[in-house]
């Protein structure tokens, strides 16, 4: 996919993705820069002009067909027309919908969401929903985002795993889902699929005080351990030594085990906004 990136200072964090036909360029100066944090995504056909500087935080999505412009100028300032050159600061964990215009001086706080077809030309506070032209806050805490209690989180995770089981079944895998474990393997008649290599696939999920995975997994078996609560350092090491991948929802972290099945689990969870930063684990290399 073709992207055009032209900026004197360009910094892109780990696991950040630019979709096809993203354009970075246009009128610039010595202070022009584009900085995008980790685990973020700039979707297709978005135009970013760093006339001064554009900063985008971690785990932030910029929707397709968005326009991010650090300047407003055309007619003469000497004839009374406005000329504006200011930096743009978009925080972490921000969701910008499609077809949003973000102008010079815009600041979007951490955890905010911007509705489709909005114009952002002011400060949007953290953890709120803003939309319109110009964008205004229409919902904020405790109504947006709403608090999710632990039992409901567990129920929501169960719904996500049910969806994942349907996804695997649609790819020709035979699945068995118990209370805390999803086991899948290719059906004899299933076509070859590199994402789901031959062998047994296990997704262990839920809440666990201690993961007992000190022994390596059987040959051909790919294991992923997904926990709503924080996985301790000892348990992380045990899972890594067993050749499995751990996913810690509470901390937003995951292990570095290289597994085709693990990559599919991580990618599927992104559909529901559940993302992880990779943590290198020395135990996996022993």
């Amino acid at each position: 996919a073709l992207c055009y990136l032209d900026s004197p200072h360009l910094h892109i964090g780990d696991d950040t993705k630019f979709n096809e036909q993203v354009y970075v360029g246009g009128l610039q100066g010595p202070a022009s820069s584009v900085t995008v944090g980790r685990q973020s995504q700039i979707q297709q056909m978005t135009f970013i002009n760093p006339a001064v500087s554009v900063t985008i935080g971690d785990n932030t999505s910029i929707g397709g067909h968005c326009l991010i412009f650090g300047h407003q100028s055309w007619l003469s300032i000497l004839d009374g027309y406005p000329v504006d050159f200011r930096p743009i600061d978009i925080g972490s964990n921000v969701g910008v919908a499609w077809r949003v215009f973000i102008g010079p001086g815009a600041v979007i706080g951490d955890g905010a969401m911007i509705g489709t077809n909005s114009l952002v030309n002011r400060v949007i506070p953290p953890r709120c929903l803003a939309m319109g032209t110009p964008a205004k806050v229409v919902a904020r805490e405790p109504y947006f985002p709403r608090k999710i209690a632990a039992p409901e989180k567990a129920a929501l995770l169960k719904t996500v795993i049910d969806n994942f089981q349907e996804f695997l079944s649609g790819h020709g895998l035979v699945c068995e889902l118990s209370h805390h474990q999803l086991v899948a393997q290719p059906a004899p008649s299933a076509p070859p699929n590199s994402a789901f290599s031959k062998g047994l696939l296990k997704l262990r999920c839920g809440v666990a005080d201690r993961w007992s995975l000190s022994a390596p997994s059987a040959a051909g078996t790919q294991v992923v351990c997904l926990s709503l609560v924080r996985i301790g350092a000892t348990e992380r090491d045990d899972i890594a030594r067993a050749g499995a991948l751990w996913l810690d929802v509470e901390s937003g972290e995951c292990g570095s085990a290289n597994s085709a099945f693990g990559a599919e689990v991580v990618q599927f969870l992104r559909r529901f906004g559940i993302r992880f930063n990779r943590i290198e684990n020395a135990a996996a290399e022993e």
Side-chain angles (χ1 to χ4, degrees):
L2 177 64
C3 292
Y4 181 87
L5 307 178
D6 175 26
S7 174
H9 304 284
L10 181 63
H11 308 278
I12 301 175
D14 293 341
D15 298 320
T16 282
K17 179 181 179 182
F18 280 51
N19 285 13
E20 60 272 15
Q21 299 185 57
V22 171
Y23 185 101
V24 176
L27 184 63
Q28 300 181 46
S32 294
S33 67
V34 174
T35 301
V36 185
R38 301 179 64 184
Q39 290 275 1
S40 291
Q41 185 167 2
I42 314 299
Q43 300 189 44
Q44 52 266 36
M45 302 183 73
T46 282
F47 188 109
I48 300 176
N49 167 237
V52 184
S53 67
V54 173
T55 303
I56 300 171
D58 299 332
N59 193 33
T60 286
S61 172
I62 305 297
H65 286 256
C66 286
L67 301 171
I68 302 176
F69 271 79
H71 79 283
Q72 172 189 326
S73 63
W74 182 252
L75 298 174
S76 175
I77 191 174
L78 300 179
D79 291 332
Y81 291 99
V83 172
D84 194 0
F85 287 79
R86 282 182 291 164
I88 293 171
D89 189 352
I90 301 171
S92 296
N93 303 301
V94 170
V96 176
W98 282 51
R99 297 183 184 277
V100 171
F101 188 101
I102 300 175
V107 176
I108 302 177
D110 294 345
M113 289 193 67
I114 308 299
T116 302
N117 291 322
S118 295
L119 164 65
V120 182
N121 61 357
R122 59 186 66 187
V123 175
I124 303 297
R127 297 178 65 81
C128 72
L129 172 63
M131 59 178 61
T133 305
K136 297 179 180 179
V137 175
V138 297
R140 62 175 75 233
E141 292 183 301
Y143 305 104
F144 184 92
R146 67 183 184 90
K147 298 292 184 182
I148 307 294
E152 186 179 357
K153 284 187 179 182
L156 289 170
L157 181 63
K158 175 61 166 57
T159 300
V160 172
I161 300 306
D162 288 344
N163 277 269
F164 187 55
Q165 180 183 8
E166 294 178 3
F167 174 79
L168 294 177
S169 298
H171 281 78
L173 279 78
V174 178
C175 301
E176 179 182 347
L177 180 61
S178 64
H179 183 57
H180 289 296
Q181 181 169 263
L182 172 64
V183 178
Q185 57 185 326
S189 58
N193 189 325
S194 60
F196 306 112
S197 58
K198 294 180 181 179
L200 200 62
L201 310 176
K202 294 183 179 180
L203 173 60
R204 298 180 177 180
C205 52
V207 177
D209 294 326
R210 187 172 182 86
W211 294 93
S212 54
L213 275 179
S214 56
S217 301
T221 301
Q222 300 181 59
V223 179
V224 176
C225 297
L226 170 64
S227 178
L228 275 173
V229 299
R230 187 176 296 272
I231 303 174
T234 300
E235 287 69 45
R236 290 182 177 189
D237 288 345
D238 287 346
I239 295 169
R241 289 192 186 95
L245 174 68
W246 56 267
L247 304 175
D248 186 328
V249 174
E250 182 176 338
S251 68
E253 298 174 342
C254 70
S256 56
N258 186 13
S259 159
F261 179 54
E264 286 293 333
V265 174
V266 170
Q267 189 62 32
F268 189 84
L269 292 174
R270 287 173 63 92
R271 299 184 181 193
F272 297 86
I274 305 170
R275 297 181 178 84
F276 304 93
N277 290 318
R278 285 178 298 157
I279 303 298
E280 297 298 329
N281 195 317
E285 302 172 0
E286 292 179 0

